[in-house]
Amino acid sequence: MTGAPATGEAARPRRGEQLEVEIDSLAFGGRGIARTDGFVVFVAGALPGDRVRAEITKAKRRFAEARAVELLRPGADRVADVCVHEGEPCPGAPWQGLPYERQLACKSEQADEALRRLGELEGYELEEIEPAAERWRYRNKLEYSFGERDGEPLLGFHARGRWDLIVGVEDCHLASEPGNTARNRVRDWAREETVPAYDRRAREGILRNLVVREGWRTGQIQTRLVTSPARFPKPPVDLHTVIEGDSGGTDGPTGVLGAERLREELCGLRLEMSHGAFFQTNTEMAERLYAVAAEYAGLSGAERVFDLYCGIGTIGLTMARRAGEVWGLELVGEAIADAERNAEANGIGNARFLAGSARTGVRPLLERAGKPDVVVLDPPRAGLSQKIVRRVIECEAKRIVYVSCNPTTLAPNAAQLTEAGYRLRRVRPVDMFPQTPHIECVALLEKAAPGRGSGTPSISDSVASHETRGGGV
Ligand SMILES: C[S@@+](CC[C@H](N)C(=O)[O-])C[C@H]1O[C@@H](n2cnc3c(N)ncnc32)[C@H](O)[C@@H]1O
Protein backbone atom coordinates (compact mmCIF):
# COMPACT_ATOMS: atom_id res chain seq x y z
CA MET A 1 0.00 0.00 0.00
CA THR A 2 1.31 3.47 -0.77
CA GLY A 3 0.07 6.95 -0.11
CA ALA A 4 -0.58 6.61 3.66
CA PRO A 5 1.10 9.36 5.65
CA ALA A 6 3.93 8.62 8.15
CA THR A 7 3.87 5.44 10.27
CA GLY A 8 2.16 3.83 13.30
CA GLU A 9 -1.15 5.36 14.36
CA ALA A 10 -0.67 8.26 11.94
CA ALA A 11 -0.44 5.74 9.04
CA ARG A 12 -4.12 4.96 9.46
CA PRO A 13 -5.87 6.24 6.33
CA ARG A 14 -8.62 8.80 6.71
CA ARG A 15 -12.00 9.04 5.01
CA GLY A 16 -11.70 10.57 1.54
CA GLU A 17 -7.97 9.71 1.26
CA GLN A 18 -6.83 7.80 -1.83
CA LEU A 19 -4.39 4.87 -1.64
CA GLU A 20 -2.77 2.52 -4.12
CA VAL A 21 -3.38 -1.04 -2.95
CA GLU A 22 -2.99 -4.59 -4.19
CA ILE A 23 -5.84 -7.03 -3.63
CA ASP A 24 -4.97 -10.50 -2.32
CA SER A 25 -8.34 -12.18 -1.69
CA LEU A 26 -12.11 -11.76 -1.47
CA ALA A 27 -14.13 -11.05 1.67
CA PHE A 28 -17.67 -12.21 2.48
CA GLY A 29 -19.96 -9.92 0.58
CA GLY A 30 -17.52 -9.82 -2.33
CA ARG A 31 -15.15 -6.93 -1.65
CA GLY A 32 -11.43 -7.26 -2.35
CA ILE A 33 -9.07 -7.45 0.63
CA ALA A 34 -5.79 -5.53 0.74
CA ARG A 35 -3.48 -5.97 3.74
CA THR A 36 -0.65 -3.94 5.13
CA ASP A 37 1.11 -4.31 8.50
CA GLY A 38 -1.92 -5.78 10.23
CA PHE A 39 -4.21 -3.19 8.68
CA VAL A 40 -6.94 -4.47 6.35
CA VAL A 41 -8.71 -2.47 3.65
CA PHE A 42 -11.94 -3.85 2.12
CA VAL A 43 -12.17 -2.47 -1.39
CA ALA A 44 -15.47 -2.48 -3.30
CA GLY A 45 -15.04 -3.03 -7.04
CA ALA A 46 -11.63 -4.74 -6.83
CA LEU A 47 -10.72 -8.38 -7.43
CA PRO A 48 -7.72 -10.56 -6.43
CA GLY A 49 -4.51 -9.57 -8.22
CA ASP A 50 -5.79 -6.07 -9.07
CA ARG A 51 -3.74 -3.01 -8.23
CA VAL A 52 -6.19 -0.17 -7.72
CA ARG A 53 -6.44 3.39 -6.53
CA ALA A 54 -8.97 3.19 -3.71
CA GLU A 55 -10.79 5.98 -1.93
CA ILE A 56 -11.38 5.39 1.78
CA THR A 57 -15.08 5.57 2.66
CA LYS A 58 -14.81 4.50 6.32
CA ALA A 59 -11.77 4.22 8.61
CA LYS A 60 -11.69 2.19 11.84
CA ARG A 61 -8.82 1.34 14.17
CA ARG A 62 -7.89 -1.98 12.54
CA PHE A 63 -9.54 -1.83 9.14
CA ALA A 64 -10.93 0.53 6.54
CA GLU A 65 -13.53 0.38 3.81
CA ALA A 66 -12.84 1.82 0.39
CA ARG A 67 -14.08 1.85 -3.19
CA ALA A 68 -11.90 1.36 -6.24
CA VAL A 69 -11.75 4.58 -8.24
CA GLU A 70 -9.13 3.46 -10.79
CA LEU A 71 -7.91 0.07 -11.95
CA LEU A 72 -4.14 0.61 -12.20
CA ARG A 73 -3.24 -2.96 -13.16
CA PRO A 74 -5.81 -5.73 -13.61
CA GLY A 75 -5.20 -9.08 -11.91
CA ALA A 76 -3.83 -11.79 -14.22
CA ASP A 77 -7.05 -13.85 -14.08
CA ARG A 78 -9.43 -11.00 -14.81
CA VAL A 79 -11.87 -11.47 -17.67
CA ALA A 80 -13.18 -8.53 -19.68
CA ASP A 81 -16.28 -6.79 -18.31
CA VAL A 82 -19.42 -7.62 -20.28
CA CYS A 83 -21.86 -5.24 -18.64
CA VAL A 84 -20.69 -1.61 -18.61
CA HIS A 85 -22.79 1.55 -18.30
CA GLU A 86 -21.31 4.86 -19.42
CA GLY A 87 -17.82 3.45 -18.82
CA GLU A 88 -18.69 2.15 -15.30
CA PRO A 89 -18.77 -1.61 -14.62
CA CYS A 90 -22.39 -2.57 -13.86
CA PRO A 91 -22.92 -2.14 -10.09
CA GLY A 92 -25.25 -5.15 -10.20
CA ALA A 93 -22.43 -7.41 -11.44
CA PRO A 94 -19.45 -6.72 -9.14
CA TRP A 95 -17.83 -10.11 -9.82
CA GLN A 96 -18.05 -10.00 -13.62
CA GLY A 97 -14.25 -9.71 -13.83
CA LEU A 98 -13.84 -13.11 -12.08
CA PRO A 99 -13.84 -16.18 -14.33
CA TYR A 100 -17.12 -18.03 -13.71
CA GLU A 101 -15.45 -21.22 -12.42
CA ARG A 102 -13.64 -19.06 -9.86
CA GLN A 103 -16.92 -17.44 -8.80
CA LEU A 104 -18.38 -20.89 -8.14
CA ALA A 105 -15.32 -22.04 -6.21
CA CYS A 106 -15.36 -18.85 -4.06
CA LYS A 107 -19.02 -19.30 -3.23
CA SER A 108 -18.55 -22.91 -2.14
CA GLU A 109 -15.50 -22.03 -0.06
CA GLN A 110 -17.24 -19.08 1.60
CA ALA A 111 -20.34 -21.16 2.44
CA ASP A 112 -18.14 -23.89 3.94
CA GLU A 113 -16.02 -21.39 5.84
CA ALA A 114 -19.08 -19.68 7.33
CA LEU A 115 -20.49 -23.01 8.56
CA ARG A 116 -17.16 -24.14 10.02
CA ARG A 117 -15.95 -20.85 11.48
CA LEU A 118 -19.13 -19.03 12.47
CA GLY A 119 -21.23 -22.10 13.24
CA GLU A 120 -18.39 -24.39 14.40
CA LEU A 121 -20.19 -27.10 12.43
CA GLU A 122 -18.63 -30.22 11.02
CA GLY A 123 -19.54 -33.68 9.77
CA TYR A 124 -21.87 -32.43 7.03
CA GLU A 125 -21.54 -33.12 3.36
CA LEU A 126 -20.86 -30.00 1.32
CA GLU A 127 -22.28 -30.97 -2.05
CA GLU A 128 -21.09 -29.56 -5.33
CA ILE A 129 -22.47 -26.12 -6.14
CA GLU A 130 -25.17 -26.06 -8.84
CA PRO A 131 -23.93 -23.70 -11.53
CA ALA A 132 -26.33 -21.17 -13.04
CA ALA A 133 -28.22 -22.15 -16.20
CA GLU A 134 -27.51 -18.68 -17.66
CA ARG A 135 -24.60 -16.48 -16.66
CA TRP A 136 -26.19 -13.29 -18.05
CA ARG A 137 -29.71 -12.00 -18.68
CA TYR A 138 -31.09 -14.09 -15.85
CA ARG A 139 -32.81 -11.51 -13.62
CA ASN A 140 -36.60 -11.33 -13.73
CA LYS A 141 -36.64 -8.16 -11.61
CA LEU A 142 -34.52 -5.02 -11.67
CA GLU A 143 -34.93 -1.74 -9.88
CA TYR A 144 -33.65 1.42 -11.57
CA SER A 145 -33.24 4.99 -10.31
CA PHE A 146 -33.88 8.26 -12.08
CA GLY A 147 -31.31 11.04 -12.22
CA GLU A 148 -30.63 14.03 -14.44
CA ARG A 149 -27.79 15.25 -16.58
CA ASP A 150 -27.88 18.62 -18.37
CA GLY A 151 -31.57 18.92 -17.52
CA GLU A 152 -32.44 15.58 -19.18
CA PRO A 153 -33.78 12.55 -17.21
CA LEU A 154 -31.47 9.53 -16.93
CA LEU A 155 -32.64 6.07 -15.89
CA GLY A 156 -30.12 3.59 -14.56
CA PHE A 157 -28.19 2.62 -11.43
CA HIS A 158 -26.44 4.48 -8.66
CA ALA A 159 -22.72 4.60 -9.40
CA ARG A 160 -20.80 2.30 -7.02
CA GLY A 161 -20.76 3.79 -3.52
CA ARG A 162 -22.59 6.97 -4.66
CA TRP A 163 -26.14 7.79 -3.60
CA ASP A 164 -26.04 11.07 -5.51
CA LEU A 165 -24.80 9.93 -8.94
CA ILE A 166 -26.76 7.91 -11.51
CA VAL A 167 -25.20 6.18 -14.51
CA GLY A 168 -27.63 5.82 -17.40
CA VAL A 169 -28.33 2.28 -18.66
CA GLU A 170 -28.99 1.42 -22.29
CA ASP A 171 -28.53 -2.37 -22.17
CA CYS A 172 -28.06 -4.13 -18.83
CA HIS A 173 -26.82 -7.68 -19.40
CA LEU A 174 -28.52 -8.86 -16.20
CA ALA A 175 -31.93 -8.04 -17.74
CA SER A 176 -33.59 -9.64 -20.74
CA GLU A 177 -33.79 -7.71 -24.00
CA PRO A 178 -37.55 -7.05 -23.58
CA GLY A 179 -36.85 -5.87 -20.01
CA ASN A 180 -34.28 -3.38 -21.34
CA THR A 181 -36.72 -2.15 -23.99
CA ALA A 182 -39.43 -1.61 -21.34
CA ARG A 183 -37.06 0.47 -19.19
CA ASN A 184 -35.88 2.58 -22.12
CA ARG A 185 -39.47 3.27 -23.16
CA VAL A 186 -40.23 4.80 -19.75
CA ARG A 187 -37.02 6.88 -19.89
CA ASP A 188 -37.96 8.15 -23.38
CA TRP A 189 -41.43 9.06 -22.11
CA ALA A 190 -39.86 11.05 -19.24
CA ARG A 191 -37.67 12.92 -21.75
CA GLU A 192 -40.49 13.63 -24.19
CA GLU A 193 -42.83 14.83 -21.45
CA THR A 194 -39.99 16.63 -19.60
CA VAL A 195 -40.96 15.16 -16.23
CA PRO A 196 -38.09 15.97 -13.82
CA ALA A 197 -36.23 13.39 -11.75
CA TYR A 198 -36.45 13.63 -7.96
CA ASP A 199 -33.35 15.25 -6.50
CA ARG A 200 -32.72 13.83 -3.00
CA ARG A 201 -30.35 16.62 -2.09
CA ALA A 202 -32.76 19.44 -3.00
CA ARG A 203 -35.81 17.28 -2.08
CA GLU A 204 -37.62 18.32 -5.23
CA GLY A 205 -38.62 16.78 -8.55
CA ILE A 206 -40.87 13.82 -9.38
CA LEU A 207 -39.44 10.60 -10.88
CA ARG A 208 -37.72 8.29 -8.37
CA ASN A 209 -37.54 4.65 -9.46
CA LEU A 210 -38.72 2.17 -12.02
CA VAL A 211 -39.16 -1.51 -11.12
CA VAL A 212 -39.27 -3.87 -14.09
CA ARG A 213 -40.46 -7.45 -13.44
CA GLU A 214 -40.77 -10.16 -16.00
CA GLY A 215 -42.64 -13.46 -16.20
CA TRP A 216 -39.81 -15.54 -17.65
CA ARG A 217 -42.07 -18.26 -18.96
CA THR A 218 -45.09 -16.08 -19.83
CA GLY A 219 -43.15 -13.24 -21.47
CA GLN A 220 -45.21 -10.70 -19.49
CA ILE A 221 -43.38 -7.51 -18.51
CA GLN A 222 -44.65 -5.47 -15.59
CA THR A 223 -43.41 -1.93 -14.95
CA ARG A 224 -43.93 0.05 -11.74
CA LEU A 225 -43.07 3.73 -11.60
CA VAL A 226 -42.24 5.27 -8.21
CA THR A 227 -42.69 9.04 -7.91
CA SER A 228 -43.25 11.91 -5.49
CA PRO A 229 -46.85 13.10 -5.23
CA ALA A 230 -47.34 15.31 -8.34
CA ARG A 231 -49.46 15.78 -11.45
CA PHE A 232 -47.88 14.73 -14.75
CA PRO A 233 -48.93 13.08 -18.05
CA LYS A 234 -50.03 9.42 -17.84
CA PRO A 235 -46.91 7.22 -17.82
CA PRO A 236 -46.63 4.05 -19.98
CA VAL A 237 -46.46 1.69 -16.96
CA ASP A 238 -48.62 -0.94 -15.24
CA LEU A 239 -48.37 0.37 -11.69
CA HIS A 240 -47.71 3.75 -10.10
CA THR A 241 -46.45 4.06 -6.52
CA VAL A 242 -46.41 7.40 -4.73
CA ILE A 243 -43.84 8.10 -2.00
CA GLU A 244 -43.98 11.06 0.34
CA GLY A 245 -40.84 12.38 2.03
CA ASP A 246 -37.31 11.26 1.47
CA SER A 247 -37.24 7.64 2.66
CA GLY A 248 -35.42 6.39 -0.45
CA GLY A 249 -37.71 3.32 -0.46
CA THR A 250 -39.99 2.11 -3.24
CA ASP A 251 -42.99 0.83 -1.23
CA GLY A 252 -46.10 2.96 -0.93
CA PRO A 253 -49.69 3.37 -2.08
CA THR A 254 -49.90 1.95 -5.59
CA GLY A 255 -52.40 2.61 -8.36
CA VAL A 256 -53.05 0.19 -11.21
CA LEU A 257 -52.77 1.46 -14.80
CA GLY A 258 -52.18 -1.86 -16.59
CA ALA A 259 -51.72 -5.47 -15.42
CA GLU A 260 -52.04 -5.67 -11.63
CA ARG A 261 -50.33 -9.03 -11.11
CA LEU A 262 -47.41 -10.75 -12.77
CA ARG A 263 -47.94 -14.23 -14.18
CA GLU A 264 -45.14 -16.80 -14.10
CA GLU A 265 -44.76 -20.54 -14.52
CA LEU A 266 -42.54 -22.58 -12.26
CA CYS A 267 -42.12 -26.32 -11.63
CA GLY A 268 -45.24 -26.96 -13.71
CA LEU A 269 -47.34 -24.49 -11.68
CA ARG A 270 -49.10 -21.38 -12.96
CA LEU A 271 -48.39 -18.58 -10.49
CA GLU A 272 -49.54 -15.01 -10.01
CA MET A 273 -47.86 -12.48 -7.78
CA SER A 274 -48.66 -9.02 -6.47
CA HIS A 275 -46.04 -6.31 -6.76
CA GLY A 276 -45.39 -6.34 -3.01
CA ALA A 277 -44.80 -10.10 -2.85
CA PHE A 278 -41.36 -11.68 -2.92
CA PHE A 279 -40.42 -13.90 -5.82
CA GLN A 280 -36.97 -15.38 -6.54
CA THR A 281 -35.27 -13.11 -9.09
CA ASN A 282 -33.84 -15.96 -11.19
CA THR A 283 -36.72 -18.11 -12.42
CA GLU A 284 -34.62 -20.88 -13.98
CA MET A 285 -32.50 -21.30 -10.87
CA ALA A 286 -35.49 -21.03 -8.53
CA GLU A 287 -36.67 -24.29 -10.09
CA ARG A 288 -33.31 -25.90 -9.32
CA LEU A 289 -33.33 -24.49 -5.79
CA TYR A 290 -36.80 -25.87 -5.10
CA ALA A 291 -35.81 -29.23 -6.59
CA VAL A 292 -32.96 -29.43 -4.05
CA ALA A 293 -35.35 -28.42 -1.24
CA ALA A 294 -37.80 -31.15 -2.34
CA GLU A 295 -35.00 -33.73 -2.53
CA TYR A 296 -33.87 -32.82 1.01
CA ALA A 297 -37.47 -32.91 2.29
CA GLY A 298 -37.60 -36.60 1.25
CA LEU A 299 -41.39 -36.68 0.98
CA SER A 300 -43.35 -39.90 0.55
CA GLY A 301 -46.84 -38.44 0.14
CA ALA A 302 -47.99 -38.51 3.77
CA GLU A 303 -46.00 -35.83 5.57
CA ARG A 304 -47.20 -32.63 7.14
CA VAL A 305 -44.97 -29.81 5.88
CA PHE A 306 -44.63 -26.32 7.33
CA ASP A 307 -43.39 -23.78 4.77
CA LEU A 308 -42.29 -20.88 6.96
CA TYR A 309 -41.52 -17.60 5.13
CA CYS A 310 -43.57 -18.96 2.23
CA GLY A 311 -43.99 -15.82 0.07
CA ILE A 312 -46.54 -16.61 -2.66
CA GLY A 313 -46.40 -20.27 -1.64
CA THR A 314 -43.90 -21.47 -4.21
CA ILE A 315 -41.93 -24.00 -2.16
CA GLY A 316 -44.97 -25.46 -0.40
CA LEU A 317 -46.98 -25.68 -3.60
CA THR A 318 -44.16 -27.43 -5.45
CA MET A 319 -44.02 -29.98 -2.58
CA ALA A 320 -47.78 -30.35 -2.06
CA ARG A 321 -48.30 -33.18 -4.53
CA ARG A 322 -45.70 -35.26 -2.70
CA ALA A 323 -46.92 -34.38 0.81
CA GLY A 324 -49.96 -35.16 2.93
CA GLU A 325 -50.54 -31.51 3.74
CA VAL A 326 -48.74 -28.19 3.51
CA TRP A 327 -49.10 -25.15 5.76
CA GLY A 328 -47.50 -21.86 4.70
CA LEU A 329 -46.80 -18.90 6.98
CA GLU A 330 -45.79 -15.47 5.69
CA LEU A 331 -45.72 -11.89 6.97
CA VAL A 332 -46.99 -10.12 3.84
CA GLY A 333 -50.77 -10.42 3.52
CA GLU A 334 -50.74 -9.75 -0.23
CA ALA A 335 -48.37 -12.70 -0.74
CA ILE A 336 -50.69 -14.98 1.27
CA ALA A 337 -53.64 -13.93 -0.91
CA ASP A 338 -51.48 -14.81 -3.95
CA ALA A 339 -50.54 -18.17 -2.40
CA GLU A 340 -54.20 -19.06 -1.85
CA ARG A 341 -55.08 -18.03 -5.39
CA ASN A 342 -52.13 -20.04 -6.72
CA ALA A 343 -53.19 -23.17 -4.81
CA GLU A 344 -56.69 -22.92 -6.23
CA ALA A 345 -55.58 -22.15 -9.79
CA ASN A 346 -53.40 -25.28 -9.77
CA GLY A 347 -56.04 -27.54 -8.20
CA ILE A 348 -53.98 -28.05 -5.03
CA GLY A 349 -56.37 -28.84 -2.19
CA ASN A 350 -53.95 -29.88 0.57
CA ALA A 351 -52.21 -26.53 1.13
CA ARG A 352 -53.30 -23.75 3.52
CA PHE A 353 -51.63 -20.38 3.95
CA LEU A 354 -51.68 -18.10 6.96
CA ALA A 355 -50.61 -14.47 7.26
CA GLY A 356 -48.44 -13.78 10.28
CA SER A 357 -44.91 -13.43 11.51
CA ALA A 358 -42.72 -16.45 12.15
CA ARG A 359 -42.13 -15.08 15.66
CA THR A 360 -45.76 -15.11 16.76
CA GLY A 361 -47.38 -17.34 14.14
CA VAL A 362 -45.70 -20.71 14.73
CA ARG A 363 -47.42 -21.61 18.03
CA PRO A 364 -50.94 -20.90 16.69
CA LEU A 365 -50.02 -22.87 13.58
CA LEU A 366 -48.89 -25.82 15.71
CA GLU A 367 -52.17 -25.70 17.64
CA ARG A 368 -54.19 -25.66 14.45
CA ALA A 369 -52.25 -28.09 12.29
CA GLY A 370 -50.39 -30.32 14.77
CA LYS A 371 -46.69 -31.11 14.65
CA PRO A 372 -45.05 -31.20 11.23
CA ASP A 373 -42.76 -33.89 9.85
CA VAL A 374 -40.79 -31.41 7.81
CA VAL A 375 -40.20 -27.68 8.34
CA VAL A 376 -39.00 -25.62 5.38
CA LEU A 377 -37.37 -22.31 6.30
CA ASP A 378 -36.59 -19.60 3.75
CA PRO A 379 -35.98 -16.41 5.74
CA PRO A 380 -34.62 -13.06 4.53
CA ARG A 381 -30.86 -12.37 4.75
CA ALA A 382 -30.99 -11.66 8.50
CA GLY A 383 -31.89 -15.32 9.15
CA LEU A 384 -33.84 -16.44 12.22
CA SER A 385 -33.84 -14.64 15.56
CA GLN A 386 -33.11 -16.78 18.64
CA LYS A 387 -36.79 -16.68 19.47
CA ILE A 388 -37.81 -17.98 16.05
CA VAL A 389 -35.21 -20.74 16.33
CA ARG A 390 -36.91 -21.74 19.61
CA ARG A 391 -40.29 -21.80 17.88
CA VAL A 392 -38.85 -24.00 15.13
CA ILE A 393 -37.40 -26.37 17.73
CA GLU A 394 -40.85 -26.61 19.34
CA CYS A 395 -42.17 -27.98 16.04
CA GLU A 396 -40.11 -31.15 16.70
CA ALA A 397 -39.93 -31.90 12.97
CA LYS A 398 -37.76 -34.82 11.90
CA ARG A 399 -36.28 -32.80 9.10
CA ILE A 400 -35.59 -29.12 8.62
CA VAL A 401 -34.86 -27.87 5.12
CA TYR A 402 -33.24 -24.44 5.42
CA VAL A 403 -33.08 -22.39 2.21
CA SER A 404 -30.63 -19.60 2.91
CA CYS A 405 -29.49 -16.53 0.97
CA ASN A 406 -26.82 -15.78 3.54
CA PRO A 407 -24.44 -18.43 4.92
CA THR A 408 -23.31 -16.08 7.68
CA THR A 409 -26.79 -16.26 9.24
CA LEU A 410 -27.42 -19.89 8.24
CA ALA A 411 -24.30 -20.87 10.23
CA PRO A 412 -25.36 -19.60 13.69
CA ASN A 413 -28.96 -20.76 13.11
CA ALA A 414 -27.78 -24.25 12.14
CA ALA A 415 -25.50 -24.27 15.19
CA GLN A 416 -28.47 -23.40 17.48
CA LEU A 417 -30.51 -26.20 15.90
CA THR A 418 -27.70 -28.71 16.40
CA GLU A 419 -27.57 -27.77 20.08
CA ALA A 420 -31.24 -28.78 20.23
CA GLY A 421 -30.57 -32.25 18.83
CA TYR A 422 -30.44 -31.77 15.06
CA ARG A 423 -27.50 -32.79 12.89
CA LEU A 424 -26.49 -30.78 9.85
CA ARG A 425 -26.39 -33.45 7.14
CA ARG A 426 -26.10 -31.89 3.71
CA VAL A 427 -25.51 -28.45 2.24
CA ARG A 428 -25.76 -27.59 -1.43
CA PRO A 429 -24.99 -24.11 -2.77
CA VAL A 430 -27.05 -23.11 -5.82
CA ASP A 431 -25.78 -20.23 -7.94
CA MET A 432 -28.81 -17.98 -8.27
CA PHE A 433 -26.81 -14.80 -8.90
CA PRO A 434 -23.88 -15.17 -11.31
CA GLN A 435 -21.51 -12.17 -11.56
CA THR A 436 -22.32 -11.26 -7.94
CA PRO A 437 -20.99 -12.48 -4.57
CA HIS A 438 -24.46 -13.57 -3.36
CA ILE A 439 -24.56 -17.14 -2.08
CA GLU A 440 -27.72 -19.20 -1.87
CA CYS A 441 -27.69 -22.66 -0.34
CA VAL A 442 -30.00 -25.35 0.89
CA ALA A 443 -29.19 -27.17 4.12
CA LEU A 444 -30.71 -30.36 5.52
CA LEU A 445 -30.88 -30.85 9.28
CA GLU A 446 -32.21 -34.09 10.72
CA LYS A 447 -33.26 -34.83 14.25
CA ALA A 448 -31.45 -37.56 16.10
CA ALA A 449 -33.96 -40.21 17.27
CA PRO A 450 -34.20 -40.50 21.09
CA GLY A 451 -32.11 -43.33 22.42
CA ARG A 452 -30.05 -43.67 19.28
CA GLY A 453 -27.14 -41.59 20.54
CA SER A 454 -25.60 -39.49 17.83
CA GLY A 455 -27.13 -41.65 15.10
CA THR A 456 -30.00 -40.21 13.11
CA PRO A 457 -32.94 -41.95 11.50
CA SER A 458 -32.64 -42.49 7.79
CA ILE A 459 -35.20 -40.81 5.59
CA SER A 460 -36.92 -44.14 5.02
CA ASP A 461 -37.22 -44.71 8.82
CA SER A 462 -38.96 -41.41 9.38
CA VAL A 463 -41.21 -41.74 6.36
CA ALA A 464 -42.31 -45.24 7.40
CA SER A 465 -43.40 -43.95 10.81
CA HIS A 466 -45.85 -41.56 9.15
CA GLU A 467 -47.22 -43.75 6.43
CA THR A 468 -50.53 -44.08 8.17
CA ARG A 469 -51.19 -40.35 8.40
CA GLY A 470 -53.75 -39.32 5.81
CA GLY A 471 -53.67 -36.32 3.50
CA GLY A 472 -56.14 -33.44 3.35
CA VAL A 473 -55.87 -30.29 5.40
C1 LIG B 1 -36.43 -15.12 0.93
S1 LIG B 1 -38.15 -14.80 0.85
C2 LIG B 1 -38.75 -16.43 0.53
C3 LIG B 1 -40.13 -16.52 -0.07
C4 LIG B 1 -40.52 -17.87 -0.67
N1 LIG B 1 -40.14 -18.98 0.16
C5 LIG B 1 -39.98 -18.02 -2.07
O1 LIG B 1 -39.10 -18.85 -2.32
O2 LIG B 1 -40.44 -17.29 -2.97
C6 LIG B 1 -38.52 -14.48 2.51
C7 LIG B 1 -39.97 -14.23 2.79
O3 LIG B 1 -40.12 -14.05 4.21
C8 LIG B 1 -41.10 -13.07 4.45
N2 LIG B 1 -40.87 -12.59 5.82
C9 LIG B 1 -39.99 -11.66 6.25
N3 LIG B 1 -40.01 -11.57 7.59
C10 LIG B 1 -40.93 -12.47 8.03
C11 LIG B 1 -41.39 -12.86 9.32
N4 LIG B 1 -40.91 -12.30 10.41
N5 LIG B 1 -42.32 -13.82 9.39
C12 LIG B 1 -42.80 -14.42 8.29
N6 LIG B 1 -42.40 -14.09 7.04
C13 LIG B 1 -41.47 -13.13 6.91
C14 LIG B 1 -40.89 -12.07 3.34
O4 LIG B 1 -42.05 -11.29 3.13
C15 LIG B 1 -40.57 -12.99 2.15
O5 LIG B 1 -41.74 -13.34 1.45
Side-chain angles (χ1 to χ4, degrees):
M1 184 187 299
T2 61
T7 55
E9 275 295 293
R12 231 185 329 134
R14 283 189 299 268
R15 191 162 176 264
E17 193 176 328
Q18 292 197 354
L19 312 167
E20 277 185 36
V21 292
E22 191 141 336
I23 306 299
D24 64 32
S25 54
L26 284 166
F28 268 113
R31 288 176 299 181
I33 301 178
R35 293 168 215 271
T36 171
D37 298 334
F39 197 82
V40 174
V41 186
F42 296 99
V43 187
L47 297 173
D50 288 350
R51 185 162 189 82
V52 297
R53 189 183 317 286
E55 183 175 301
I56 302 293
T57 51
K58 195 185 267 183
K60 298 273 186 193
R61 213 164 67 82
R62 295 193 54 85
F63 71 92
E65 292 176 10
R67 67 186 176 96
V69 290
E70 189 183 352
L71 180 57
L72 300 168
R73 194 205 59 221
D77 295 339
R78 247 195 194 259
V79 293
D81 287 346
V82 168
C83 194
V84 177
H85 310 302
E86 299 185 333
E88 285 259 339
C90 177
W95 272 13
Q96 62 176 312
L98 266 193
Y100 188 61
E101 296 310 320
R102 184 94 189 269
Q103 294 181 27
L104 293 177
C106 276
K107 290 182 188 192
S108 280
E109 280 161 23
Q110 291 195 345
D112 199 31
E113 199 182 325
L115 293 167
R116 287 180 193 284
R117 290 219 338 228
L118 302 177
E120 296 181 5
L121 293 153
E122 53 187 32
Y124 56 88
E125 185 184 349
L126 179 71
E127 298 174 343
E128 201 166 319
I129 184 167
E130 295 233 4
E134 301 294 339
R135 297 180 190 179
W136 290 104
R137 302 210 187 277
Y138 61 83
R139 284 192 68 102
N140 59 29
K141 180 182 179 187
L142 277 151
E143 192 172 307
Y144 303 98
S145 299
F146 283 93
E148 257 177 32
R149 187 178 305 133
D150 304 328
E152 176 132 282
L154 285 175
L155 184 49
F157 297 123
H158 285 272
R160 192 172 48 229
R162 297 286 300 270
W163 64 271
D164 56 342
L165 184 69
I166 300 296
V167 288
V169 172
E170 193 58 43
D171 178 15
C172 179
H173 285 68
L174 295 172
S176 72
E177 276 143 12
N180 277 302
T181 305
R183 181 203 54 245
N184 293 346
R185 201 174 61 224
V186 177
R187 177 204 59 199
D188 294 347
W189 161 85
R191 287 180 180 169
E192 276 155 27
E193 302 290 352
T194 59
V195 188
Y198 179 70
D199 179 341
R200 278 182 71 189
R201 203 176 265 141
R203 299 185 176 206
E204 60 186 33
I206 298 173
L207 303 175
R208 296 182 181 219
N209 302 94
L210 180 75
V211 183
V212 181
R213 271 180 124 173
E214 189 170 349
W216 223 243
R217 304 273 164 69
T218 59
Q220 184 193 348
I221 302 265
Q222 187 190 56
T223 46
R224 181 165 67 93
L225 183 65
V226 182
T227 75
S228 304
R231 291 183 78 79
F232 52 86
K234 187 173 178 219
V237 296
D238 295 296
L239 302 165
H240 175 205
T241 301
V242 177
I243 305 271
E244 308 251 6
D246 193 34
S247 70
T250 60
D251 292 334
T254 298
V256 180
L257 306 173
E260 184 175 3
R261 278 186 288 275
L262 185 67
R263 286 171 283 105
E264 181 59 293
E265 285 167 21
L266 191 85
C267 302
L269 299 172
R270 278 172 290 116
L271 302 170
E272 278 196 8
M273 63 198 89
S274 306
H275 74 84
F278 176 91
F279 187 71
Q280 293 286 353
T281 47
N282 183 336
T283 306
E284 295 288 337
M285 293 311 291
E287 274 192 350
R288 308 275 179 98
L289 186 75
Y290 297 160
V292 178
E295 180 189 331
Y296 282 11
L299 301 173
S300 69
E303 294 83 357
R304 179 177 296 139
V305 177
F306 281 4
D307 178 8
L308 305 183
Y309 304 89
C310 69
I312 64 165
T314 38
I315 299 182
L317 291 173
T318 57
M319 290 183 179
R321 292 208 169 96
R322 281 170 278 177
E325 54 190 74
V326 168
W327 295 81
L329 180 66
E330 156 69 41
L331 193 60
V332 175
E334 264 180 300
I336 286 297
D338 292 340
E340 285 168 345
R341 225 183 344 259
N342 289 331
E344 197 180 335
N346 290 281
I348 295 173
N350 63 340
R352 290 283 178 280
F353 296 96
L354 307 174
S357 93
R359 196 169 62 81
T360 55
V362 172
R363 280 185 173 168
L365 175 58
L366 275 172
E367 268 170 38
R368 190 163 160 193
K371 294 212 159 130
D373 303 288
V374 177
V375 170
V376 178
L377 300 164
D378 186 8
R381 286 183 61 74
L384 312 179
S385 66
Q386 296 246 10
K387 188 162 189 174
I388 297 177
V389 172
R390 285 199 293 275
R391 295 295 93 88
V392 171
I393 291 165
E394 283 168 20
C395 290
E396 294 182 356
K398 295 212 166 40
R399 277 188 294 283
I400 297 174
V401 178
Y402 193 138
V403 179
S404 163
C405 56
N406 184 356
T408 68
T409 54
L410 168 65
N413 286 162
Q416 288 150 2
L417 291 166
T418 58
E419 278 163 28
Y422 286 90
R423 291 267 313 263
L424 178 61
R425 291 292 188 187
R426 302 166 69 182
V427 179
R428 195 179 311 167
V430 177
D431 192 20
M432 306 286 287
F433 309 105
Q435 323 306 340
T436 82
H438 295 295
I439 305 172
E440 187 89 19
C441 39
V442 188
L444 171 66
L445 294 114
E446 285 186 317
K447 200 168 182 53
R452 292 197 189 182
S454 62
T456 51
S458 68
I459 283 176
S460 51
D461 284 345
S462 53
V463 166
S465 67
H466 288 278
E467 262 171 4
T468 51
R469 181 184 287 162
V473 174

